[in-house]
Amino acid sequence: MPVELSTVRPEAPPGRRDAVHVPFFTAAVVSVLTVGASWGVLILWRIGFGERFTGVSVHEINAHGYAQITGWVGLFIMGFGYQAFPRLWRTALAVPRLVPAVLAATLSGLVMAVTGMGATGYRAEGAWAVAAALAGNALVLAASLVFAAQLLVTYLRSPGPMRPVTGFIGSALFWLVAQAAFGLWHTWMTMTAADRADLLWYIATYQAPLRDLQIHGMALLMVLGLSSHLLPQMFGVPGTPERRAWTALLLINVGVVIEVVVFIAYRWADDHRLAALLMPPWLVIAGGVAAMALPWRLWRRLPRTDHRSGKFVRAAYGWLALSLVMLLLMPVYQMVSGLAFSHAYYGAIRHAITVGFVSMMIMGVAARVAPTLRGIHPGTLGSLTGPFVLINVGCALRVSLQTLTDWHPFFFAVVGVSGLLELAALVWWGTGLLRILHGSPASGPGVSRPVVLRPV
């Protein structure tokens, strides 16, 4: 009989096989608390003092974004993938000796890329910066390829038919590699741009498609797929029917491809009428998300809840819904504001889905999974209400105040407060998670068996 994520007496404390995620989770927390959220707060305050979102070097902003995608989201995906996916597929991880090499390449690449991009102004200050950024991107791409290949070989060894959760995981891994390759090319083109006009053209043409691959492709599909498998186990919500899940997967993948192609075509043609064609793929993506998530009825009280993670999950999907609504209302906002394009509104949409949805899902799932893998019953730990309130208030202020900067410059002066609240939430949550990851494994009565996913 398969075992769920539950409270079961273990025969022995968790061993090394159950700790493969620890260095990845640890590195992800360190990354978000340094070059991720902390640097982001500094950038946000500088934007506020300058009263314009273009007042900070685009290379510095890209370095911060790279740290968030690769260091925060990517490392959590890798750690969870190595720990949980072989169990999901009832098999052993292929070539496990490659795990330390993947971690080392990812961390080395992250440091090199962030250092190179962050040290660059509007043009490269030296060949070393370009070389460091490109070498770092290449290392991360190589690590992503090895990670995806390991999981592909692992899955091919597994018995049984393919389930939707595996389809979502596979699609997310494809976009993980695709965005790493695209990011390498984009870094090369922006850091070697001939002049400012050339640089701004590359940013305006390719930055949004890169973020679409990272957010709507890699992050959204991974979180939705794992949610479809974890949430019924953790909270007793109804499952998504398989045919409906396959349809949702197809819709989201098609939507991502079309929004990327249409945006690049619109920029190359320099015809704003083509921008109207972005609405169909956005509707397709929103429809795929709705098809996948509505059966869970997360707007209702969870059938089986806990005091730590349930509130994060429910709030995260609320932020996802808000980000999609804001995306679909972008033409309306442009018409009302009279702006052809709003950096503030577009950035607010991205913040709602990256921090409100992706980051809050990481916080909620890790709060449940990490203690279980250490043999600690989550019910014996704190409720995380403080970090939950801070991250939600911070995200709400960021989304609203950033949008309001289009209407009055006063809001530039206060938008930085939102970043401080989010950073405080991540520090509170992150230090607690590190204590769990590196504390002594629990043993004795009432501890949790280190099993994360029910096999399919």
Side-chain angles (χ1 to χ4, degrees), residues 332-379:
V332 177
Y333 183 83
Q334 291 171 325
M335 181 177 63
V336 172
S337 66
L339 299 171
F341 176 77
S342 168
H343 287 281
Y345 187 80
Y346 182 77
I349 295 171
R350 293 300 197 197
H351 201 79
I353 193 169
T354 53
V355 174
F357 175 60
V358 178
S359 291
M360 207 169 303
M361 282 297 296
I362 290 174
M363 294 171 74
V365 172
R368 178 70 176 268
V369 168
T372 303
L373 291 170
R374 296 295 289 172
I376 303 169
H377 195 294

Side-chain angles (χ1 to χ4, degrees), residues 223-254:
V223 174
L224 281 175
L226 292 178
S227 294
S228 71
H229 199 79
L230 277 176
L231 300 192
Q233 293 186 37
M234 292 169 62
F235 306 118
V237 302
T240 303
E242 284 202 6
R243 180 174 294 183
R244 183 168 177 152
W246 284 119
T247 301
L249 177 62
L250 176 63
L251 288 174
I252 297 171
N253 275 305
V254 169

Side-chain angles (χ1 to χ4, degrees), residues 278-339:
L278 287 168
M279 186 58 66
W282 291 346
L283 286 168
V284 167
I285 292 171
V289 170
M292 192 67 180
L294 285 179
W296 306 332
R297 302 174 183 175
L298 293 176
W299 60 88
R300 296 184 179 180
R301 186 179 183 88
L302 296 173
R304 195 169 63 238
T305 189
D306 59 30
H307 72 300
R308 280 175 69 81
S309 55
K311 55 184 175 289
F312 284 94
V313 171
R314 295 180 68 197
Y317 275 93
W319 282 110
L320 174 60
L322 176 63
S323 74
L324 293 173
V325 170
M326 290 179 68
L327 184 64
L328 296 175
L329 290 178
M330 184 183 290
V332 177
Y333 183 83
Q334 291 171 325
M335 181 177 63
V336 172
S337 66
L339 299 171

